[in-house]
Amino acid sequence: MRTVFNKTLLKIAKKDERIFLVLADIGYGEIEPFAKAFPDRYFNVGVAEQNMTDIACGLAMEGNIAVTYSIANFPTLRCLEQIRNDVCYHNVNVKIVIIGGGLAYGALGVSHQSTEDLAIMRALPDMVVVAPADFTEAEAATYAMVKHPGPVYYRCGYKKEPRLHKGKIDFKIGKAIQARAGGDITLIGTGTITYRVYQAAELLVKDGIQARVLSMHTVKPIDKEAILKAADETRGIITVEEHNIIGGLGGAVAEVLAEGGVGVPFKRIGLPDTYVHIVGSHDWLLDRFGFSPESIAQVAKNLLKCRQ
Amino acid sequence: MKIKELQRICLEVRRDIIRMLGEAGSGHPGGSLSAAELVVALYFSVMKHRAKEPDWEDRDRFILSKGHCCPLLYAVLARCGYFPVEKLLTLRKLGSPLQGHPHNLEVPGIEASTGSLGQGLSIANGIALAGRLNKKNYRVYCLLGDGETDEGQVWEAVMTSNHYHLDNLCAIVDRNRLQIDGKTADIMQLEPYPEKWRAFGWYVIEIDGNNLAEVLGAYLQAEKIKGKPTVIIARTIKGKGISFMENEVEWHGQAPKKEEVEKALKELGERI
Ligand SMILES: Cc1ncc(C[n+]2csc(CCOP(=O)(O)OP(=O)(O)O)c2C)c(N)n1
Ligand SMILES: [Mg+2]
């Protein structure tokens, strides 16, 4: 997905000369084509994320669209106050892109896991939070991000994520995409984990359950309409996110449901509120933390059962 | 310990690093290899520490601020007896305590969990301040990468160590002149580098960091400097010891493949 993002950004930059790329010593093997094509619109400021963010802020203040880019928490948490006071408070056109959302850098340990980012970025006024599920969404999200005036946080995957959407998609910031139709229960995912959510829905068919799958690629602004519609049309809602159980997608959906006054059975699936201080491959960690399609399907069955 | 013996350990440790990364299929060889002499000299000659009592109160402390070079630290700790050498081959494997960045609660002998660059020297300052207040004689060593010192926090810490006259603290910069995206000189100019540290009030020792005699000499000298912190700016070769890795930017963060492991081990073997 990282490659899809970089290729798309390059394509856009060829047509839009407001696009700048500001790096902090993380780009090797991916950003060279951009650096080569637009040496004047590319800055690598060294391992200095706070500096990177505010240089982007300054560039954006002069009418440009500045993209900051690094892995996991380095372009977000490391420079959070620069994002809050400078990027968001000025409401400037800075796009913050992380590579390896969630546990994608599985073996690298906690410093390289981005598992509180959705909650933290979501809490910043004017920040739009997107997490594409597959390559198709990643490409569309890049266009949408550039088009959107103001700060955007873009949680990118890493490599070789499976395809969720078979055909064309209609990607709009703030509008969930239905990846699978179903009337029994709704499974909502965000980011690359959504593929596993889809697999869980396929497993549920054996039990006679038709699950609707929503790719909630925009966590903020959240698609209230799709959530309330699901609450109305299906018998339960489950959110799945590769993120701390607190404050991310599940939190956002819960807020909508509670204030919408709908009493639909609801369950959040996410990481427990601890550090994932064991290492392993991305897939191994996901299985271990309850994100296997089987465990997601089981949660769905339990939720429907307790309803009856 | 004799220099010959330390040289032998450096070779051993370099082989460990290659084997570990080969087995793991990912990791950071360049900066692990460049700093081998710097860390081996500390653990096998300079620092007071007890492998069987990792929490011994009076131990000297070592903070690996450039956490991505933990394969080196793991190998040194194993060779010191903190844990079995066989465990090294579990680097980055499912459930292994030897994570891609060091975790102090999982591995005996790791002082601080690091991985996000630029934070170690501040932690070292805190430990050094506490040591002084508690009337402890331990010394604190902190290894940084040269690219890492792009981070503003490093210079906040550099000011702090000077402000509090932390002569129980010794920083070591692995000046291998490379970072992820290229040469430090191309990405973010650091020079005039020793002058910067001096201007911030530090005592500066410049050495060839792959030369054990110079490394040992620098640590000895640092201990004698009173009233201010000391930094050892160690000129090294990234990927040191493996011909095809030396000074090559692409060996910052990729593991050798099977044939490359064999070739590297052969090169290291032949130099005994
Ligand atoms: C805050 C932060 N930003 C970015 C990274 C990613 N990163 C890992 S190593 C590295 C380059 C470090 O270069 P240097 O300090 O010179 O290390 P060495 O050459 O000794 O390997 C970067 C940018 C990180 N670990 N932490
Ligand atoms: Mg370096």
Side-chain angles (χ1 to χ4, degrees):
Chain A
M1 185 178 289
R2 164 177 90 164
T3 309
V4 172
F5 165 76
N6 277 294
K7 281 196 172 140
T8 312
L9 185 72
L10 180 62
K11 230 193 242 167
I12 300 174
K14 281 183 178 149
K15 295 217 176 95
D16 188 340
E17 57 183 37
R18 296 172 301 161
I19 309 276
F20 280 68
L21 183 58
V22 192
L23 296 191
D25 197 29
I26 293 270
Y28 187 79
E30 285 289 345
I31 53 78
E32 291 79 2
F34 190 106
K36 227 171 157 182
F38 307 110
D40 295 342
R41 292 196 265 141
Y42 159 82
F43 299 103
N44 190 336
V45 303
V47 196
E49 294 78 10
Q50 304 175 45
N51 197 22
M52 165 180 78
T53 303
D54 277 344
I55 289 172
C57 178
L59 288 166
M61 282 171 159
E62 295 300 321
N64 301 299
I65 300 172
V67 178
T68 63
Y69 171 100
S70 186
I71 47 183
N73 303 308
F74 306 139
T76 52
L77 304 196
R78 184 53 178 258
C79 42
L80 186 53
E81 206 163 11
Q82 282 76 12
I83 295 175
R84 177 183 183 270
N85 298 355
D86 305 325
V87 172
C88 290
Y89 192 36
H90 292 106
N91 198 2
V92 288
N93 239 331
V94 171
K95 319 297 177 188
I96 299 155
V97 178
I98 71 152
I99 303 303
L103 302 175
Y105 286 104
L108 272 71
V110 168
S111 62
H112 286 59
Q113 296 164 356
S114 176
T115 49
E116 303 90 24
D117 54 331
L118 298 176
I120 293 170
M121 291 295 116
R122 186 164 89 81
L124 297 171
D126 288 327
M127 182 68 86
V128 163
V129 178
V130 296
D134 68 357
F135 287 9
T136 313
E137 283 192 16
E139 184 182 2
T142 310
Y143 281 101
M145 167 175 90
V146 170
K147 217 161 143 203
H148 175 85
V152 176
Y153 172 59
Y154 181 115
R155 185 200 235 211
C156 193
Y158 183 32
K159 289 178 183 168
K160 294 190 186 144
E161 288 82 6
R163 187 177 191 126
L164 174 68
H165 301 293
K166 309 241 156 36
K168 282 216 168 110
I169 55 165
D170 181 18
F171 187 100
K172 284 201 192 77
I173 284 180
K175 284 278 155 229
I177 300 175
Q178 181 168 302
R180 190 180 188 286
D184 294 323
I185 190 167
T186 304
L187 311 179
I188 308 178
T190 192
T192 55
I193 198 77
T194 312
Y195 183 71
R196 284 172 171 249
V197 177
Y198 180 84
Q199 288 178 306
E202 295 285 301
L203 289 179
L204 286 169
V205 174
K206 275 199 300 268
D207 298 280
I209 299 169
Q210 286 299 338
R212 175 180 304 181
V213 175
L214 295 180
S215 169
M216 194 64 80
H217 52 71
T218 310
V219 177
K220 181 188 172 185
I222 193 104
D223 187 348
K224 289 187 187 147
E225 206 183 314
I227 296 167
L228 293 175
K229 190 161 174 265
D232 188 40
E233 295 175 356
T234 66
R235 290 182 285 127
I237 293 183
I238 293 173
T239 56
V240 187
E241 63 198 304
E242 206 174 325
H243 184 273
N244 188 309
I245 192 75
I246 294 174
L249 172 72
V253 172
E255 289 159 16
V256 172
L257 291 174
E259 289 191 338
V262 284
V264 67
F266 173 64
K267 180 87 189 147
R268 295 168 301 156
I269 299 177
L271 292 165
D273 184 27
T274 65
Y275 290 104
V276 177
H277 52 75
I278 53 171
V279 293
S281 69
H282 190 193
D283 279 333
W284 182 80
L285 284 172
L286 289 178
D287 288 346
R288 172 129 184 185
F289 280 92
F291 295 104
S292 69
E294 291 76 16
S295 2
I296 297 172
Q298 192 56 50
V299 174
K301 280 187 269 182
N302 293 348
L303 192 71
L304 287 177
K305 233 183 263 155
C306 72
R307 178 97 210 264
Q308 281 152 7
Chain B
M1 195 178 277
K2 292 251 173 55
I3 288 206
K4 266 248 143 53
E5 181 58 11
L6 289 174
Q7 276 166 341
R8 192 193 58 75
I9 297 169
C10 285
L11 260 181
E12 197 79 74
V13 161
R14 285 198 162 92
R15 276 189 228 119
D16 288 337
I17 292 169
I18 294 299
R19 285 194 204 105
M20 290 164 83
L21 294 184
E23 196 66 34
S26 63
H28 297 85
S32 299
L33 293 165
S34 61
E37 282 79 10
L38 299 168
V39 180
V40 165
L42 277 180
Y43 276 85
F44 285 89
S45 179
V46 178
M47 291 199 321
K48 304 184 280 326
H49 67 109
R50 296 174 180 167
K52 295 291 165 244
E53 196 188 341
D55 296 333
W56 175 42
E57 279 186 42
D58 295 319
R59 72 193 182 280
D60 290 333
R61 272 72 163 164
F62 175 71
I63 309 283
L64 181 68
S65 191
K66 53 166 189 155
H68 60 284
C69 298
C70 57
L72 166 62
L73 183 55
Y74 295 153
V76 169
L77 289 174
R79 293 284 162 195
C80 285
Y82 280 84
F83 53 84
V85 172
E86 300 79 68
K87 216 174 190 169
L88 290 177
L89 293 184
T90 69
L91 175 73
R92 294 185 174 214
K93 289 274 154 76
L94 309 183
S96 168
L98 302 185
Q99 314 194 350
H101 291 84
H103 185 28
N104 70 332
L105 300 180
E106 297 273 337
V107 184
I110 301 283
E111 210 68 54
S113 304
T114 49
S116 185
L117 293 168
Q119 305 179 358
L121 190 59
S122 296
I123 298 177
N125 276 332
I127 296 176
L129 282 166
R132 190 157 74 189
L133 285 170
N134 296 336
K135 307 234 170 346
K136 291 280 182 196
N137 280 323
Y138 63 72
R139 289 182 58 74
V140 186
Y141 296 90
C142 178
L143 177 65
L144 302 103
D146 49 0
E148 178 181 8
T149 65
D150 293 343
E151 287 283 2
Q153 185 183 349
V154 171
W155 299 98
E156 297 169 21
V158 166
M159 274 195 274
T160 306
S161 333
N162 169 58
H163 183 80
Y164 291 102
H165 310 290
L166 294 177
D167 54 15
N168 54 349
L169 171 72
C170 175
I172 309 117
V173 178
D174 182 352
R175 185 80 174 102
N176 57 27
R177 294 184 176 265
L178 287 175
Q179 51 198 101
I180 288 190
D181 287 344
K183 297 188 177 119
T184 54
D186 294 337
I187 305 289
M188 187 50 63
Q189 183 60 267
L190 293 170
E191 298 294 344
Y193 200 57
E195 286 82 347
K196 282 199 175 84
W197 287 84
R198 255 180 233 121
F200 277 72
W202 285 59
Y203 186 80
V204 176
I205 305 173
E206 290 179 79
I207 56 162
D208 172 349
N210 294 128
N211 178 318
L212 274 167
E214 291 193 28
V215 171
L216 290 170
Y219 285 131
L220 266 177
Q221 196 188 344
E223 260 180 74
K224 297 202 186 99
I225 304 299
K226 295 297 163 204
K228 49 162 72 181
T230 296
V231 59
I232 299 172
I233 300 179
R235 290 183 305 271
T236 64
I237 292 176
K238 199 155 175 173
K240 173 76 180 173
I242 320 288
S243 60
F244 57 92
M245 291 188 182
E246 289 191 356
N247 289 320
E248 294 292 344
V249 68
E250 72 254 37
W251 287 103
H252 169 82
Q254 79 175 12
K257 299 194 183 62
K258 197 159 172 283
E259 318 80 67
E260 292 164 332
V261 168
E262 278 162 23
K263 199 166 162 224
L265 289 177
K266 207 161 146 224
E267 285 190 16
L268 292 169
E270 277 165 5
R271 288 198 203 173
I272 295 187

